[in-house]
Amino acid sequence: SAVISQKPSRDICQRGTSLTIQCQVDSQVTMMFWYRQQPGQSLTLIATANQGSEATYESGFVIDKFPISRPNLTFSTLTVSNMSPEDSSIYLCSVYRGGEAFFGQGTRLTVV
Amino acid sequence: TQLLEQSPQFLSIQEGENLTVYCNSSSVFSSLQWYRQEPGEGPVLLVTVVTGGEVKKLKRLTFQFGDARKDSSLHITAAQPGDTGLYLCAGTKAAGNKLTFGGGTRVLVKP
């Protein structure tokens, strides 16, 4: 299994500002995944974070808007930059181990 | 267009009733998983199916993988309020590949 600590659990931010979300895993993993989940909806993969290289972004997501850091094998951050109300969502980090995806509890972001 | 289409999107039933959730695709998946997510939490894995035609049971939950490995279903017998949540199917096309999630089915079981 994997235990993932994500913080903050929620935040309310002013438009135009940025928020950095942290994700800590209890053991080393090669890849960490960042998802966005809009209220009542499914998960959309934002990017895959590999240690020692740039993150790989999915279609519709760009590094300037969602910069990701992966300084070591147990930690990653996702920044939501220059926020607008459309960025209000739940952001989740995830790792894949033993054929199973494990998730943090999510960060509920509201942009006002 | 979602690669994995789930239906229905929302289901509200009384305690004790049965329900079935479907997950369909035009693509073949090497494995398919079902997750349940409760408010304020991340999704939690319920089951993984890998063989076409496979049926797995988890107490009152029965999962089936289609023969062609393009679809799956989740059946809950005698649903209880504790079954309330967002049910997500997710597939991988090859071992180690990223997961693709379906649109989700929100289930509400009323006491």
Side-chain angles (χ1 to χ4, degrees):
Chain A
S1 67
V3 178
I4 301 175
S5 300
Q6 192 175 330
K7 58 181 180 181
S9 58
R10 59 176 61 229
D11 207 341
I12 300 173
C13 300
Q14 296 290 324
R15 69 178 67 202
T17 63
S18 298
L19 175 72
T20 296
I21 303 167
Q22 298 180 7
C23 183
Q24 179 77 50
V25 189
D26 64 339
S27 57
Q28 294 181 345
V29 291
T30 305
M31 292 189 288
M32 295 177 73
F33 303 91
W34 286 98
Y35 289 88
R36 182 172 71 186
Q37 184 176 30
Q38 293 180 315
Q41 310 227 347
S42 186
L43 281 69
T44 300
L45 182 64
I46 297 171
T48 303
N50 299 300
Q51 196 270 333
S53 64
E54 275 198 3
T56 304
Y57 288 82
E58 297 300 307
S59 175
F61 298 97
V62 295
I63 188 171
D64 289 347
K65 176 67 175 177
F66 297 101
I68 287 171
S69 79
R70 185 78 202 275
N72 58 54
L73 290 172
T74 63
F75 187 78
S76 178
T77 67
L78 169 76
T79 299
V80 186
S81 302
N82 188 25
M83 288 183 284
S84 66
E86 292 71 35
D87 294 319
S88 297
S89 194
I90 299 170
Y91 293 85
L92 297 122
C93 66
S94 174
V95 301
Y96 207 66
R97 179 175 294 155
E100 178 176 349
F102 295 89
F103 293 86
Q105 79 272 31
T107 297
R108 182 178 292 273
L109 170 63
T110 303
V111 184
V112 297
Chain B
T1 303
Q2 294 245 344
L3 194 59
L4 281 168
E5 297 282 346
Q6 275 187 247
S7 61
Q9 291 182 321
F10 177 71
L11 200 52
S12 177
I13 60 171
Q14 292 295 134
E15 182 176 2
E17 293 182 339
N18 302 334
L19 68 97
T20 303
V21 178
Y22 299 94
C23 178
N24 296 299
S25 176
S26 58
S27 300
V28 175
F29 288 91
S30 64
S31 70
L32 203 140
Q33 299 180 319
W34 286 92
Y35 291 80
R36 181 170 67 209
Q37 184 180 21
E38 299 184 28
E41 301 291 331
V44 175
L45 179 68
L46 296 173
V47 78
T48 301
V49 285
V50 297
T51 305
E54 183 176 4
V55 177
K56 281 192 174 178
K57 293 196 174 187
L58 185 66
K59 296 183 181 178
R60 293 176 294 98
L61 279 61
T62 301
F63 305 86
Q64 186 161 6
F65 201 13
D67 291 341
R69 290 186 288 135
K70 293 182 179 181
D71 54 85
S72 180
S73 64
L74 156 62
H75 182 80
I76 301 179
T77 303
Q80 299 176 0
D83 296 323
T84 294
L86 178 67
Y87 288 82
L88 297 155
C89 66
T92 56
K93 294 212 168 171
N97 266 18
K98 59 189 178 187
L99 278 175
T100 299
F101 281 87
T105 297
R106 188 164 297 281
V107 172
L108 173 63
V109 183
K110 294 181 280 189

